Amino acid sequence: MLLADDHVGLLKAWGRLLEPSCDVVGSVRDGRALLEAAVALTPDVIVADLAMPEVSGLDVCRTIKASLPQIKVVLVTGGGDENVARAAFRAGASAFVLKYAAVHDLQVAIERALTGDEYCSPTVRMKSAESTR
Amino acid sequence: MSRFSRRARVRALIALVLFCACLDGRAHGQTATGKRPKKVLALHLIRRDSPAFDDAFRAELNTALSGQLDYYAEYIDLARLGDDTYHTALRNYLRERYIAADGVDLVIASGPSVVSFLNQDRTLFQSVPIVFTTRPGLLAEPPSTGIISAIDLSGTLSAALAAQPNTKQVFVVSGVAPFDKLYDDIFKEQQAAFAGRVAFHSLSGLSMVDLEQRVRHLPSDAIVYFLSLSDDGAGHTFMPLDAVDAIAAAANVPVYTWHESALGHGVVGGHLHSSLNDARETARIAARVLQGESPQSIPVTTVHSYTYEFDWRQLQRWRISESSLPAGSVIHFREPTLLERYRGYVIGGAIIVAAQMLLIGGLLIQHSRRRRAEGALRRSEARNSAILRALPDLMFVQDRNGRFVDFHTRDPKLLYVSPESFMGKTVRDVMPASLADRFMIAIEQVYHTQEPVVIEYELEVDEPRHFEARFVPVDNERVLSIVRDVTVAKRALELNRVLAGRVIVSQEAERQRIARELHDDVSQKLALLSIDVSQLSQDLPLPEQRPHLEKFASQVEEIARDLYDLSHRLHPSRLQMLGLVESVRVLCHDASQQRDVTITFSEARIPDVVDPSVSLCLYRITQEALHNVAKHSLSPDASVRLERNGDEFLLIIADSGIGFDPLVADHSGLGLASMRERVAILKGQLTIQAAPGGGTRISVRVPVTPPVADTELVPEPA
C-alpha cells in the first residue's frame, strides 16, 4: 500500500485507518514522488489524493495504467461530483472515495480494487453520469 | 377776293362760255348704242359750286337713263343779268349753239335767276320742257315743272343765339345787287320774330373795304350774319364765297350764314341750305320728264333743304360748346385729337409702356425674390460656416477618381500634408498606398450604394494618430468625407479594455486563490475532522452514544460538500482536472439538467491540453452564454460547438429563442461586455448575431496560443 497526499494530517489519518489491515509501504506528498515510489515499491494499491501538486491524481492514474497496469489506484478527494468521478475512472482509477467518507468507504474501496471491481463513494451523485458520457 | 371792271368781266365771261361749250361738245356725243340719247342743257349762274350741281344732275340723270344722256351745261354771269346786251348775246349764243343744231330735249334752270332769264323769252326754248329750281313766287313758263327751294333764314339766327346766349346785337351783311336785296328783304321779314331778343344792324350798302373795317371792331356781344353779297356799295361785284372769305377773315366776332357752300370759309355755320340737295331733287324730276312724263302732270313741290351744320374749327375758335348746338347738328372739319391723329403711335406706345411696366414689375418681383433667396442663402452659408468653424472635423470633397476638389479644416496642422500638396491631386498621389486603396474602395462603395461608408485608419501626422473617415455622396460626381481624429477616444477605449481585462484577470486570480485556499486547507482539515469523528464514533465503548457522533460526522460531511461547491463556483478547478472539452460537456449537461432546455454539445480537434487562460476564457463564455439561454432566450434548445481551426479555437453558442436587438436593448444583464473583454484579452474576436425573434448566435475566435503581452494578466493554473 502506497499513500500520497500533500496534506500531512491526512497522510497520517490514512495510515491510522489502513495499517490494521494493510501493509503501508510508503507515503509521499506529491504526484511526481508518487510515480517514482510506485516504480520503486510496486505496491498492490495506491491511495492518492485527486488534487496533488506536480502531477495530479488523474495524471498519475493515466501513467500507472499505462506503465504499471497491475497497480490499482484508489483516488480520494475532498470534494467531487460524478463528473470528476467519471473522469477518474476513465483515467484508470479503480475507486473514487470522498475523504470525509473514508472511514467507511476506504477499506471497501481497496478490497473492491484488489478484486478488480470499481468503487465509488455512495454520496457522489452518480445518477446522471451515464447520460453525459 | 376779286374785283373786276365791267368790261373785263364781260370779255372773260364770253371766253369762259365758249371754252365750256367746247369742252361739253367734245365730251358728249352720240352713244354707241344707236338709240338717240337725251340731250339735256343745264343753265347755271356762274358760281363756285356750280360744277358740283352738274355732277349731281349728271349722276342722277345717267342713272335714270341708263347712260343715254347727252349733257351740256352753260353758265350765266349773274352780274350781267340786268344787261340787255348781255341777254341778247347770250340768247343768240344759246339759240345758235343748241336750237339751231339738234335742239335739246330738256332744259334745267338751276336757280331763280336762270328762271327769270328764261321767262324773259320763252321762245328761245319754245316747247322744250324746263325743269327748274326756284324760289317762292317765281315759276318758269310752261311747259315746265320743278321745285321751289324754301328760304329759311331764321333757323341760323335761332341756332346762333342758342350757341351764344349773351348775344345782344346782330350785324347783318348783305350786298346791293337785286339778288342780295331779295334775301335782305326775306331776312327782314323773318328777323321780326327776334326783335325783342336782339338788336339788328344792317351793314347793307357799305363798300367791301368799309364792311371789313366795320366787322373788325364789333362789340363782344355781337355776331355777324352773312346773308348775300354779290355787289357792294362801291359797285364792285364779288363771287359770294369770296365775300364770305373776306368778311369772316376780318370779323372779330363769330360769323354765321345760311348757305352750305360758305362752310369752310371762316363762318361758324348755321341752319344751312344745301343747293346740292335741291339739285338732286331737280334732277330726279328732270329724269321723270325725260322718261316721258308730261311736265304739267308733275306738280311743283317745295323742298326744305336745310340742316344744322357747323365748322368745328370755328366752334373751337369762339369757344362754342357743341352741347349748345341744336340736336342733330353735323360738325365738319373736326380736327382729330392727338389721340385720334396718332392712334397707332399712341396704342403702340401704350403697349410698349405696358409691356415695359410688366417687364419692370416682373424684374422687381424677381429682384425681390432673388434678394430674399440671397438673404436665405447668406443666412444658410453663415450657419454652415459657423457649423464648420465649430466642428473639429476635417472635410474633403473628392471626385470619383479620388481627386481632392475642396477641403475645410479648423486647424491646418491637422492636415497630413499642406493644401498645396493635395488639392487637385488624387488620394493615391498623397496617401500611403495601402490607405489609398482603402479610400478608393470606400469612395467606389459610396457611389454604388449611395450610402455612408465609414473606415478607421492610422496615420502618422505629428505622431501616430487614429482617424475615422465618414464618406457620404454629395452628387453623382463628388463624395464628401468627414475625417475625425479619434486618437484620444481610441486610446481611452484601449485603456478601458486593458483595465477591464485586468479587472477580469485579477478577479479570476483572486477567486482562484480563495478557491485553492478553501480546497487545500479548509477542505483538507474538514476531511481530517470527518475522519477523526468517524473513528471516534467507532471507538466509542457505548454503542448508544454513536448516533450523536454519526450525526456530527454527517454535518461535517455536509459542510465539506458545500465548501466544495463554493470552491468550484469560485474557480472551476475541474477545468484543470477534466480538461476543456469535458468541462464544457459537463456545463452543457448541468445546464440541461437545471433548466428545461435541451443543449447539444459537439467538438472537433480540441487537444487534451489547452492553455489555461484560453481554456478559462472559453469555459467562462460558454457558462455565461448558457446562463443567458436558460434565463432569457425562452428557447427550447441550444447548441454548443467547440473546434480548432488551425491556430484558432472556434466556439459557437446558438439558440432559437426570442433574441434581442443588439442596437437598442440594454444588454448589461447579459454579460456581453465581460465576454468581449475576455476575448479582447486574448486578442480574439467575438461576434454576436441577434435579432428580435430571430434567436442568438455567439461566435468566439481565440488563438490557440495566447498573446505574449497579456500572459502576465493570465492567472496561474489551479
Side-chain angles (χ1 to χ4, degrees):
Chain A
M1 180 76 60
L2 183 58
L3 304 178
D5 199 310
D6 59 332
H7 199 276
V8 180
L10 279 170
L11 267 182
K12 289 179 180 173
W14 306 143
R16 282 201 305 275
L17 275 176
L18 297 173
E19 271 173 347
S21 57
C22 300
D23 179 15
V24 176
V25 294
S27 58
V28 294
R29 294 185 59 184
D30 63 63
R32 194 176 303 281
L34 174 58
L35 287 177
E36 288 167 2
V39 172
L41 301 174
T42 59
D44 297 317
V45 178
I46 292 173
V47 175
D49 187 9
L50 179 67
M52 286 184 296
E54 301 293 330
V55 180
S56 77
L58 290 178
D59 289 338
V60 166
C61 286
R62 292 186 191 103
T63 307
I64 296 294
K65 189 182 181 183
S67 55
L68 301 165
Q70 74 280 10
I71 299 176
K72 308 299 180 189
V73 180
V74 174
L75 282 177
V76 291
T77 178
D81 54 29
E82 71 277 16
N83 299 302
V84 181
R86 186 155 37 83
F89 288 121
R90 205 159 48 222
S94 296
F96 188 78
V97 177
L98 294 173
K99 287 181 178 174
Y100 42 76
V103 174
H104 309 289
D105 295 352
L106 192 58
Q107 194 64 43
V108 180
I110 291 167
E111 287 167 8
R112 290 279 183 87
L114 286 172
T115 59
D117 295 328
E118 290 183 347
Y119 177 81
C120 186
S121 287
T123 47
V124 174
R125 288 156 290 187
M126 293 294 287
K127 56 185 178 292
S128 60
E130 285 303 318
S131 64
T132 56
R133 191 176 287 269
Chain B
M1 184 185 347
S2 358
R3 297 169 193 180
F4 302 100
S5 68
R6 185 168 291 244
R7 182 171 298 180
R9 285 206 309 273
V10 170
R11 279 203 298 274
L13 173 68
I14 292 168
L16 180 65
V17 165
L18 288 174
F19 175 70
C20 291
C22 289
L23 274 180
D24 282 345
R26 280 200 306 275
H28 306 282
Q30 292 280 108
T31 61
T33 60
K35 186 181 175 184
R36 181 179 170 276
K38 297 297 183 183
K39 190 170 179 180
V40 174
L41 172 62
L43 290 174
H44 306 278
L45 287 183
I46 296 175
R47 284 167 50 149
R48 281 201 207 169
D49 47 6
S50 294
F53 301 154
D54 276 329
D55 291 340
F57 290 149
R58 212 180 267 128
E60 288 289 338
L61 293 173
N62 251 328
T63 304
L65 300 175
S66 305
Q68 297 298 313
L69 177 67
D70 196 3
Y71 184 86
Y72 297 86
E74 295 291 352
Y75 302 92
I76 299 167
D77 186 357
L78 177 69
R80 297 294 306 279
L81 277 178
D83 185 340
D84 286 343
T85 312
Y86 176 72
H87 280 207
T88 304
L90 186 57
R91 268 200 294 275
N92 288 342
Y93 164 72
L94 292 173
R95 186 177 289 116
E96 189 64 29
R97 175 84 172 86
Y98 298 101
I99 307 304
D102 300 333
V104 292
D105 296 306
L106 187 133
V107 171
I108 295 175
S110 180
S113 301
V114 178
V115 172
S116 293
F117 169 72
L118 292 176
N119 281 351
Q120 284 175 11
D121 185 0
R122 186 63 180 94
T123 60
L124 177 61
F125 293 111
Q126 196 173 17
S127 76
V128 175
I130 295 173
V131 175
F132 55 78
T133 307
T134 187
R135 60 173 168 77
L138 177 65
L139 297 177
E141 294 293 325
S144 70
T145 186
I147 63 160
I148 296 170
S149 181
I151 298 174
D152 175 13
L153 304 181
S154 64
T156 291
L157 207 50
S158 299
L161 295 179
Q164 292 180 264
N166 295 328
T167 302
K168 300 291 183 212
Q169 306 179 74
V170 178
F171 289 83
V172 183
V173 174
S174 68
V176 295
F179 182 78
D180 300 332
K181 285 187 176 298
L182 174 68
Y183 287 102
D184 203 18
D185 291 343
I186 295 169
F187 183 74
K188 282 193 173 81
E189 288 171 19
Q190 295 183 355
Q191 78 177 45
F194 301 89
R197 167 79 171 78
V198 289
F200 291 94
H201 305 286
S202 175
L203 299 181
S204 176
L206 295 177
S207 69
M208 181 56 88
V209 175
D210 291 343
L211 207 49
E212 286 173 321
Q213 187 61 30
R214 190 69 199 278
V215 300
R216 206 168 269 136
H217 303 289
L218 293 178
S220 60
D221 60 353
I223 61 168
V224 172
Y225 195 136
F226 184 93
L227 275 182
S228 171
L229 201 156
S230 297
D231 291 344
D232 68 358
H236 293 114
T237 298
F238 295 89
M239 297 290 263
L241 289 182
D242 289 339
V244 170
D245 284 332
I247 297 298
N252 67 334
V253 294
V255 178
Y256 291 84
T257 189
W258 60 275
H259 199 271
E260 180 188 59
S261 60
L263 205 62
H265 290 266
V267 299
V268 174
H271 197 219
L272 303 187
H273 175 253
S274 171
S275 295
L276 207 55
N277 190 58
D278 288 347
R280 289 194 198 98
E281 287 300 321
T282 304
R284 285 187 198 111
I285 293 168
R288 287 166 66 183
V289 172
L290 287 170
Q291 284 166 336
E293 284 190 56
S294 160
Q296 288 81 357
S297 68
I298 300 172
V300 175
T301 55
T302 299
V303 174
H304 199 88
S305 302
Y306 286 84
T307 48
Y308 287 103
E309 297 178 66
F310 296 90
D311 186 332
W312 183 85
R313 297 164 300 185
Q314 297 304 320
L315 293 175
Q316 298 299 309
R317 179 186 174 192
W318 304 110
R319 302 181 189 284
I320 297 167
S321 166
E322 286 185 33
S323 64
S324 65
L325 303 177
S329 295
V330 179
I331 311 294
H332 296 272
F333 310 113
R334 190 189 292 276
E335 287 181 4
T337 60
L338 276 177
L339 179 64
E340 287 164 345
R341 189 175 299 168
Y342 300 108
R343 181 181 294 274
Y345 294 105
V346 170
I347 291 172
I351 289 170
I352 290 169
V353 168
Q356 282 180 334
M357 294 290 281
L358 281 173
L359 191 64
I360 289 167
L363 286 172
L364 284 173
I365 291 169
Q366 196 184 22
H367 179 67
S368 165
R369 282 180 184 163
R370 198 171 61 195
R371 281 183 58 187
R372 279 203 298 274
E374 283 172 352
L377 188 63
R378 272 198 300 278
R379 285 192 294 278
S380 171
E381 282 178 349
R383 190 184 61 217
N384 290 345
S385 173
I387 291 170
L388 286 177
R389 284 197 303 277
L391 287 178
D393 303 339
L394 299 159
M395 291 188 196
F396 301 95
V397 178
Q398 288 160 274
D399 65 14
R400 195 166 185 170
N401 298 321
R403 191 176 303 282
F404 291 95
V405 295
D406 197 5
F407 81 101
H408 164 81
T409 178
R410 189 172 50 86
D411 181 4
K413 285 200 289 293
L414 293 172
L415 292 168
Y416 178 55
V417 290
S418 66
E420 303 79 50
S421 304
F422 71 81
M423 282 300 288
K425 298 207 171 90
T426 67
V427 174
R428 293 188 193 285
D429 296 334
V430 178
M431 311 296 275
S434 60
L435 191 53
D437 286 342
R438 292 181 64 198
F439 269 58
M440 289 313 296
I441 289 168
I443 289 172
E444 209 46 42
Q445 195 178 340
V446 167
Y447 273 118
H448 282 300
T449 62
Q450 290 291 301
E451 294 289 334
V453 173
V454 181
I455 63 169
E456 282 189 26
Y457 59 94
E458 196 177 331
L459 197 62
E460 178 94 24
V461 185
D462 47 354
E463 56 177 327
R465 287 187 165 274
H466 292 275
F467 293 96
E468 178 197 87
R470 193 173 289 267
F471 294 84
V472 290
V474 176
D475 49 37
N476 286 333
E477 301 297 323
R478 295 173 303 165
V479 165
L480 172 72
S481 57
I482 298 168
V483 177
R484 178 168 293 185
D485 184 343
V486 293
T487 308
V488 173
K490 192 91 176 170
R491 285 174 183 164
L493 199 66
E494 184 66 21
L495 182 63
N496 197 28
R497 191 188 68 76
V498 169
L499 289 176
R502 282 185 179 162
V503 167
I504 287 172
V505 167
S506 62
Q507 187 186 43
E508 284 290 348
E510 186 62 15
R511 284 177 163 193
Q512 190 177 359
R513 191 189 63 75
I514 295 168
R516 183 178 292 167
E517 197 79 9
L518 288 173
H519 178 265
D520 290 357
D521 189 29
V522 182
S523 182
Q524 303 299 331
K525 285 175 179 169
L526 272 177
L528 191 56
L529 178 62
S530 172
I531 292 167
D532 287 346
V533 170
S534 295
Q535 276 191 323
L536 181 63
S537 168
Q538 287 173 356
D539 295 346
L540 275 177
L542 296 175
E544 65 270 17
Q545 292 174 321
R546 285 180 189 168
H548 296 290
L549 277 176
E550 281 170 2
K551 185 182 176 188
F552 181 52
S554 70
Q555 284 174 342
V556 173
E557 189 179 328
E558 195 176 328
I559 292 169
R561 197 193 305 275
D562 291 345
L563 202 63
Y564 172 79
D565 289 342
L566 174 62
S567 167
H568 182 67
R569 283 201 297 276
L570 283 170
H571 185 78
S573 57
R574 69 185 178 194
L575 186 57
Q576 193 65 26
M577 288 189 285
L578 303 182
L580 176 62
V581 170
E582 206 53 40
S583 298
V584 172
R585 192 197 304 278
V586 169
L587 266 184
C588 295
H589 173 259
D590 287 353
S592 294
Q593 291 298 306
Q594 290 160 14
R595 321 269 180 172
D596 193 16
V597 187
T598 304
I599 299 169
T600 56
F601 172 71
S602 62
E603 58 91 15
R605 300 181 296 279
I606 304 296
D608 289 338
V609 180
V610 177
D611 182 275
S613 59
V614 175
S615 186
L616 183 63
C617 170
L618 294 173
Y619 182 85
R620 285 296 195 200
I621 289 174
T622 307
Q623 196 175 30
E624 188 69 51
L626 290 180
H627 175 78
N628 290 339
V629 169
K631 195 171 178 187
H632 303 294
S633 76
L634 304 180
S635 177
D637 47 46
S639 67
V640 176
R641 171 72 179 173
L642 192 56
E643 63 181 51
R644 177 179 177 166
N645 288 331
D647 295 336
E648 280 184 340
F649 288 124
L650 173 62
L651 170 66
I652 298 170
I653 304 111
D655 68 60
S656 55
I658 58 170
F660 61 93
D661 187 343
L663 298 176
V664 174
D666 175 12
H667 312 304
S668 54
L670 301 182
L672 300 179
S674 72
M675 288 188 204
R676 286 189 192 285
E677 297 309 333
R678 286 180 188 280
V679 173
I681 292 168
L682 298 177
K683 306 263 189 235
Q685 201 174 9
L686 177 102
T687 309
I688 299 170
Q689 293 168 283
T696 306
R697 179 188 166 95
I698 296 174
S699 308
V700 177
R701 287 176 185 279
V702 289
V704 170
T705 308
V708 177
D710 283 345
T711 51
E712 64 186 57
L713 299 172
V714 177
E716 289 178 17

